[in-house]
Amino acid sequence: MGIDWSEYRQRREKLMEKMGKGTAIFRSAPTSVMHNDVEYVFRQDSDFFYLTGFNEPEAVAVLAPHHEEHRFILFIQPKDPDKETWTGYRCGVEGAKEKYGADEAYPIAELDEKLPQYLKKAERIYYHLGRDKHFNDVILSHWQSLMATYPKRGTGPVAIEDTNHILHPMRQVKSASELAMLRQAMDISAAAHNRAREFVKAGHYEYQIQAEIEHTFRLHGGIGPAYPSIVASGSNACILHYIENNRQIQENDLLLIDAGCSYGYYNGDITRTFPVNGKFTGEQKAIYELVLEAQLKAIESVKPGNPYNEFHDIAVCVLVQGLIDLGLLKGDLEEIIKEEKYKPFYMHKTGHWLGLDVHDVGVYKQGEETWLPLEAGHVLTVEPGIYIGLDIKPAEGQPEIPERWRGIGIRIEDDILVTKTGHEVLTAAVPKAIDEIV
């Protein structure tokens, strides 16, 4: 399973249509040293990968729709048998044309020499400044040189424009091939969550549950975790990005697992919370039922045409009303929400885009007041939660939290596809109803 090479070509063609007579430049992700002379496993830059499928470091992709011969150019590391013995095979310059469809390819060392021919007739440069300071300087230097000679030639890029605003809307709407990859990532993620729930028992350490989860990812063909796996028992669940995973799990704990598999660079993202011994305390059950109700009602609002923020607003209303009913908040519902006095219990948004990046690219708003309307092909998470930390400090004017509620942290997260008529819960294979998890 994968993305056909023709789809990468179609993506480039679509982007070049938007560029007009511009030239776009994309830099591969850098390598990163783990310790001394050992590198972390390489992970390609998502924009670069989306357009090329090329998975080697030290590369630059250039799109020049105005060029007479070369519209797609790759600058890459050349073949080097000695280095390949140590670090793996390279496709090389010829392979870049034969396998990846480049109209022309050059060794990366020739970038400064060859790049100007693809810029001098461009009306603007499309490039995202900010990720790589050294490479930013390379692009700016070429642009300044071309601007210095512009009066004599009358042609050249008169501006640098960010690629994000033309590329990222394309990435937001998933193709059939991408959805197939996402479904596979989510199916593996679901299998790992279900395995973890079967395996866990009091006395295990959180890292043992993590091991079962990540073993399942690799066993089923995943690259590995889409992000550091969160296995949070007891009050650790009140730490949103808890990744130490070193506590011994106790009999009456809730266990929050936030873990997703990366498959072919596409990612799952699931959170479930359940009682280790199969029995909720009264307080745990009350909070769990509230979070589940908020999630189910939020998911109902995920449909084409609805503004992105609607499902978050619905979740907040349900959570706040529930906390009022439980005596953990007091006052008028609308005032509490307006003044954000619920934030000690619920401090994050209810979802995010999902795709090649776990927190995937794409805007959420169109201007200051208008939220982006959902459309078919969008994939997002819906993940409300309530966190009552041991040291929680209520907002001004709100009641103190009785000890029996402290240490409860619950989040429930699913991955949702916006369809033409509504939505599909892509991670429904992981149970969340109370009668299914106890």
Side-chain angles (χ1 to χ4, degrees):
M1 185 185 295
I3 306 296
D4 190 83
W5 294 116
S6 63
E7 183 163 331
Y8 291 107
R9 183 178 67 251
Q10 290 165 7
R11 293 171 182 174
R12 294 191 296 270
E13 292 293 333
K14 184 176 180 180
L15 183 63
M16 286 191 283
E17 287 177 12
K18 296 174 179 288
M19 289 163 44
K21 293 184 179 180
T23 293
I25 303 167
F26 297 90
R27 173 75 159 162
S28 66
T31 55
S32 183
V33 175
M34 185 175 182
H35 42 77
N36 196 14
D37 58 352
V38 177
E39 294 176 351
Y40 284 97
V41 174
F42 179 70
R43 204 283 186 186
Q44 186 59 279
D45 175 83
S46 294
D47 284 346
F48 191 97
F49 189 79
Y50 179 82
L51 291 168
T52 67
F54 188 77
N55 202 32
E56 296 180 22
E58 290 300 313
V60 171
V62 177
L63 301 182
H66 53 82
H67 195 271
E68 296 82 356
E69 298 178 77
H70 310 147
R71 292 162 56 87
F72 170 41
I73 307 96
L74 279 173
F75 292 86
I76 61 173
Q77 296 179 102
K79 297 288 289 180
D80 186 330
D82 290 339
K83 291 184 178 179
E84 289 176 60
T85 298
W86 290 93
T87 59
Y89 296 112
R90 301 173 180 176
C91 84
V93 171
E94 289 306 315
K97 292 189 281 188
E98 294 171 5
K99 181 176 180 180
Y100 294 94
D103 298 317
E104 187 56 273
Y106 305 101
I108 188 67
E110 297 180 15
L111 178 69
D112 281 336
E113 175 191 349
K114 303 292 188 183
L115 183 58
Q117 67 179 297
Y118 301 109
L119 298 177
K120 63 185 179 181
K121 292 186 178 180
E123 293 179 351
R124 63 186 56 223
I125 296 171
Y126 286 93
Y127 173 71
H128 177 66
L129 290 162
R131 290 178 182 163
D132 183 332
K133 185 179 186 305
H134 171 73
F135 196 65
N136 292 346
D137 292 342
V138 170
I139 300 304
L140 290 170
S141 176
H142 280 288
W143 181 49
Q144 289 167 337
S145 294
L146 289 165
M147 283 296 90
T149 58
Y150 181 88
K152 296 179 180 179
R153 291 180 292 102
T155 64
V158 295
I160 295 180
E161 188 168 336
D162 199 314
T163 53
N164 290 2
H165 85 276
I166 57 171
L167 176 60
H168 289 177
M170 292 170 52
R171 283 183 53 188
Q172 266 186 294
V173 180
K174 274 48 179 183
S175 69
S177 310
E178 290 183 290
L179 289 174
M181 298 289 281
L182 282 165
R183 288 179 190 278
Q184 187 67 11
M186 292 164 190
D187 287 349
I188 297 171
S189 302
H193 274 263
N194 290 335
R195 169 59 186 154
R197 194 178 65 258
E198 294 170 358
F199 175 79
V200 68
K201 65 180 180 181
H204 280 151
Y205 284 84
E206 293 164 339
Y207 57 74
Q208 292 177 284
I209 315 306
Q210 178 184 1
E212 289 295 314
I213 290 167
E214 295 178 6
H215 170 254
T216 304
F217 292 166
R218 292 295 284 154
L219 186 67
H220 291 87
I223 297 171
Y227 50 91
S229 299
I230 298 169
V231 182
S233 61
S235 62
N236 287 340
C238 299
I239 302 170
L240 298 184
H241 291 164
Y242 171 79
I243 58 172
E244 285 78 5
N245 299 345
N246 56 13
R247 178 177 177 271
Q248 190 173 31
I249 299 167
Q250 305 301 308
E251 179 72 17
N252 295 318
D253 282 346
L254 293 178
L255 183 65
L256 184 154
I257 299 175
D258 185 340
C261 174
S262 182
Y263 182 86
Y265 282 0
Y266 288 85
N267 303 291
D269 187 1
I270 304 173
T271 307
R272 290 293 186 268
T273 312
F274 57 89
V276 170
N277 64 5
K279 299 176 183 178
F280 284 107
T281 66
E283 289 78 14
Q284 290 171 347
K285 184 178 181 183
I287 299 298
Y288 188 90
E289 289 176 332
L290 179 53
V291 174
L292 181 59
E293 179 189 3
Q295 199 220 20
L296 293 174
K297 288 188 176 178
I299 290 173
E300 286 177 7
S301 74
V302 176
K303 59 185 67 174
N306 281 359
Y308 176 85
N309 66 313
E310 183 172 301
F311 72 90
H312 169 71
D313 291 345
I314 288 171
V316 169
C317 283
V318 173
L319 293 175
V320 172
Q321 185 60 60
L323 291 170
I324 293 171
D325 294 342
L326 292 170
L328 297 173
L329 287 173
K330 68 177 183 180
D332 178 73
L333 173 69
E334 292 183 3
E335 285 299 313
I336 291 172
I337 293 173
K338 181 180 179 181
E339 296 174 9
E340 298 187 335
K341 291 190 174 182
Y342 64 88
K343 283 291 185 78
F345 299 96
Y346 184 46
M347 60 292 294
H348 61 79
K349 295 295 185 181
T350 307
H352 54 79
W353 302 125
L354 183 64
L356 273 172
D357 293 303
V358 176
H359 287 218
D360 208 23
V361 297
V363 300
Y364 294 95
K365 298 184 79 172
Q366 298 173 317
E368 292 185 7
E369 302 297 329
T370 305
W371 289 88
L372 186 79
L374 299 176
E375 65 176 284
H378 284 166
V379 179
L380 52 92
T381 67
V382 178
E383 49 178 307
I386 291 178
Y387 314 93
I388 312 176
L390 295 175
D391 300 319
I392 187 171
K393 294 181 180 179
E396 184 179 354
Q398 292 299 311
E400 288 298 316
I401 309 303
E403 193 66 29
R404 70 181 188 275
W405 295 101
R406 293 175 180 263
I408 297 176
I410 293 172
R411 182 167 63 253
I412 306 172
E413 176 183 22
D414 281 294
D415 304 336
I416 314 296
L417 167 66
V418 183
T419 65
K420 290 182 180 179
T421 57
H423 65 263
E424 179 186 352
V425 181
L426 299 175
T427 48
V430 189
K432 60 187 176 184
I434 286 182
D435 60 359
E436 294 179 305
I437 63 174
V438 298

